[in-house]
Amino acid sequence: MKLENQLDRIHSRVTGNRFLQLFTAFTRVLLAIGFIPPSIPKILGLPFTTLPDTDPVGHYFNALLQTGFYYRFIGLGQIIAALLLLFPRTSHLGALMFFPIILNIAVLTNSVGFKGTWLITILMFLASVYLVCWDYDRWKTILFSRRLKSSVLFRKELIWLPLLAAGGAVSSYILLAYFLLRTVKSLNPKFIAILGILGLFFGLAVAVHHKFMKTGDLELKTEKL
């Protein structure tokens, strides 16, 4: 059995559990409410804590306050994630947006030395992981492609694209030097060689990404769970 089918079965059983359905709704609302109060001082540009600079926590937040718009930007991100979590139609977006924010906060609280808060943030992080997994059906195309076709530009593109990229990089450098300096005699051969090698690697990376890119219509899955 494919891994995708196994995960689909597990997800179907979990989301079909009435207790877990209620627990998920409770978790969404709780996390949303927990995010709104901390976001308001940041949006208003007010200090988040009264701790002095001699305290590591106070030093961090006082320095963060001095960043100005970035401080407000963090508050805006938190309140947007909270509002998205509150509405069922957008809760999956809120959970996804909430995930990196709370991960950053959890790492911060464990690094700076928040007393007691570190445990709360870890629990909030685990809750966000749970909510993202709850909406696995919305994200699974990230792991499992549903496209029917593979992209094809031309034959042996893993060879030709790197060569074209290398040639393009070197020729662009030579042309630019000629138009600026009106001569190509002062060009550095070593730099040209390095530029060609970098162009080869760049072209190879592009070719690999293109070769394994899935395109076309979405595959319709008919297998029953």
Side-chain angles (χ1 to χ4, degrees), residues 1-15 136 221 223-225:
M1 183 183 296
K2 293 182 178 180
L3 176 61
E4 180 185 0
N5 294 334
Q6 292 177 335
L7 292 176
D8 285 344
R9 291 177 185 275
I10 295 172
H11 181 258
S12 179
R13 291 176 182 175
V14 170
T15 56
Y136 154 79
K221 189 175 179 181
E223 182 179 350
K224 295 183 179 180
L225 297 178

Side-chain angles (χ1 to χ4, degrees), residues 106-125:
V107 173
L108 170 65
T109 54
N110 282 271
S111 300
V112 179
F114 282 74
K115 295 181 180 180
T117 310
W118 65 272
L119 179 59
I120 297 175
T121 56
I122 288 178
L123 292 175
M124 293 176 71
F125 170 70

Side-chain angles (χ1 to χ4, degrees), residues 12-127:
S12 179
R13 291 176 182 175
V14 170
T15 56
N17 186 290
R18 294 183 179 181
F19 171 77
L20 291 178
Q21 292 169 4
L22 182 61
F23 175 75
T24 301
F26 171 81
T27 303
R28 285 173 176 171
V29 175
L30 183 63
L31 289 182
I33 293 175
F35 242 30
I36 293 176
S39 66
I40 295 176
K42 298 185 182 71
I43 295 173
L44 297 177
L46 301 175
F48 186 75
T49 179
T50 57
L51 294 174
D53 281 340
T54 54
D55 186 282
V57 179
H59 180 72
Y60 172 82
F61 278 107
N62 290 333
L64 190 62
L65 177 63
Q66 301 305 315
T67 61
F69 176 73
Y70 178 67
Y71 184 70
R72 291 182 171 87
F73 175 77
I74 294 174
L76 287 172
Q78 290 178 332
I79 200 167
I80 290 173
L83 293 176
L84 289 173
L85 269 174
L86 281 176
F87 295 94
R89 186 173 291 273
T90 59
S91 59
H92 62 292
L93 297 175
L96 191 64
M97 187 174 179
F98 187 90
F99 178 81
I101 296 175
I102 193 59
L103 173 60
N104 178 67
I105 294 175
V107 173
L108 170 65
T109 54
N110 282 271
S111 300
V112 179
F114 282 74
K115 295 181 180 180
T117 310
W118 65 272
L119 179 59
I120 297 175
T121 56
I122 288 178
L123 292 175
M124 293 176 71
F125 170 70
L126 293 175

Side-chain angles (χ1 to χ4, degrees), residues 161-218:
L161 273 179
L163 291 176
L164 287 173
V170 171
S171 60
S172 297
Y173 170 65
I174 294 174
L175 288 173
L176 183 62
Y178 175 77
F179 283 110
L180 292 178
L181 305 175
R182 295 298 178 180
T183 180
V184 295
K185 294 181 179 180
S186 60
L187 296 180
N188 188 334
K190 291 183 179 180
F191 182 76
I192 293 177
I194 293 173
L195 198 61
I197 293 172
L198 293 176
L200 280 173
F201 281 106
F202 178 82
L204 180 61
V206 173
V208 170
H209 275 275
H210 181 263
K211 184 175 180 61
F212 294 97
M213 184 182 296
K214 294 297 182 180
T215 61
D217 298 329
L218 288 173

